Amino acid sequence: GESVGLHLPTLSVQEGDNSIINCAYSNSASDYFIWYKQESGKGPQFIIDIRSNMDKRQGQRVTVLLNKTVKHLSLQIAATQPGDSAVYFCAENGSAGGGNKLTFGTGTQLKVEL
Amino acid sequence: ETGVTQSPTHLIKTRGQQVTLRCSSQSGHNTVSWYQQALGQGPQFIFQYYREEENGRGNFPPRFSGLQFPNYSSELNVNALELDDSALYLCASSRNRGGGELFFGEGSRLTVL
């Protein structure tokens, strides 16, 4: 069945460094991927998305890379700040049924050290 | 703030009871999805409502049901509560049912004793 997983449960970085959060997916038919940030006590917040016809997309301080060959997704955060501390989820939008059914991974806790 | 509001924010129930959770979608959004997030896990899709009808369902039993109203607000109902139903229930709205950005509310934290 389809699944989305993350390599590391916790990532600690120094303030100002770049962060890289990785994600693997198993459904080769997936065509849309999203990264969400979830702070404690809050709902997931959209960060950036990418469609399967692209391999890279950039936003403000964030970049998503997609490698369809190995079914791998990564989120890069430049100049990590204390406000970036949160749990980060990758999610895949199931293409079979369309709609808004997202399959989430278990998340990576990003901790920014001062 | 996403403009998606959920109520109540926290509640405690006992096994066998029933619960209703409510969600007001962002203005202009006609589609509402519900997700269950257990502690330390990613959210899991329960179902989606579009124009007052269920439009997609995840792997949840029939005792999880929902409604969508003409103003696009929505309810999630869970009957015969079990201990494993303890979780954060998230509502997300979107501009249409065909995919795209979801805007999540802050969730309703349900504890079943």
Side-chain angles (χ1 to χ4, degrees):
Chain A
E2 61 185 41
S3 67
V4 180
L6 295 175
H7 293 309
L8 296 173
T10 303
L11 175 65
S12 294
V13 298
Q14 293 290 322
E15 182 181 5
D17 287 352
N18 296 333
S19 303
I20 300 176
I21 301 172
N22 296 303
C23 175
Y25 64 94
S26 59
N27 184 359
S28 57
S30 300
D31 61 359
Y32 180 54
F33 304 88
I34 313 102
W35 280 100
Y36 282 91
K37 171 186 180 183
Q38 188 173 26
E39 297 174 276
S40 181
K42 295 188 176 182
Q45 176 187 359
F46 175 93
I47 301 174
I48 192 168
D49 59 0
I50 189 168
R51 295 203 175 271
S52 59
N53 61 351
M54 303 172 69
D55 53 20
K56 180 179 180 179
R57 191 162 188 228
Q58 289 184 293
Q60 186 176 14
R61 279 202 308 121
V62 294
T63 301
V64 55
L65 299 177
L66 174 63
N67 185 331
K68 295 180 287 295
T69 303
V70 296
K71 290 184 281 189
H72 183 268
L73 193 68
S74 69
L75 176 70
Q76 300 178 1
I77 303 174
T80 312
Q81 302 169 359
D84 294 328
S85 293
V87 177
Y88 288 80
F89 294 97
C90 64
E92 166 235 345
N93 190 325
S95 57
N100 297 318
K101 177 184 178 181
L102 297 180
T103 300
F104 283 80
T106 54
T108 292
Q109 174 78 55
L110 176 64
K111 296 183 178 180
V112 181
E113 300 172 349
L114 303 178
Chain B
E1 297 297 325
T2 63
V4 178
T5 58
Q6 293 187 242
S7 63
T9 55
H10 296 82
L11 70 166
I12 299 173
K13 293 283 187 178
T14 56
R15 278 187 304 174
Q17 286 189 311
Q18 178 266 343
V19 68
T20 298
L21 307 177
R22 297 176 176 81
C23 172
S24 293
S25 59
Q26 186 178 115
S27 178
H29 287 188
N30 60 20
T31 304
V32 172
S33 307
W34 286 92
Y35 287 79
Q36 180 196 65
Q37 186 176 22
L39 197 62
Q41 302 292 320
Q44 283 196 301
F45 177 77
I46 302 175
F47 44 52
Q48 173 179 291
Y49 276 82
Y50 170 73
R51 291 188 175 180
E52 303 177 54
E53 291 191 357
E54 189 178 291
N55 174 239
R57 189 180 182 92
N59 189 26
F60 281 81
R63 59 190 185 83
F64 285 77
S65 63
L67 287 172
Q68 186 179 33
F69 300 99
N71 65 354
Y72 305 130
S73 66
S74 178
E75 287 182 354
L76 165 65
N77 299 291
V78 187
N79 293 324
L81 283 168
E82 301 176 0
L83 297 179
D84 285 349
D85 295 333
S86 295
L88 180 68
Y89 288 86
L90 294 162
C91 169
S93 75
S94 59
R95 196 170 300 278
N96 57 64
R97 63 174 173 169
E101 187 172 346
L102 296 187
F103 294 82
F104 283 87
E106 305 287 79
S108 294
R109 171 72 63 187
L110 171 65
T111 302
V112 182
L113 302 177

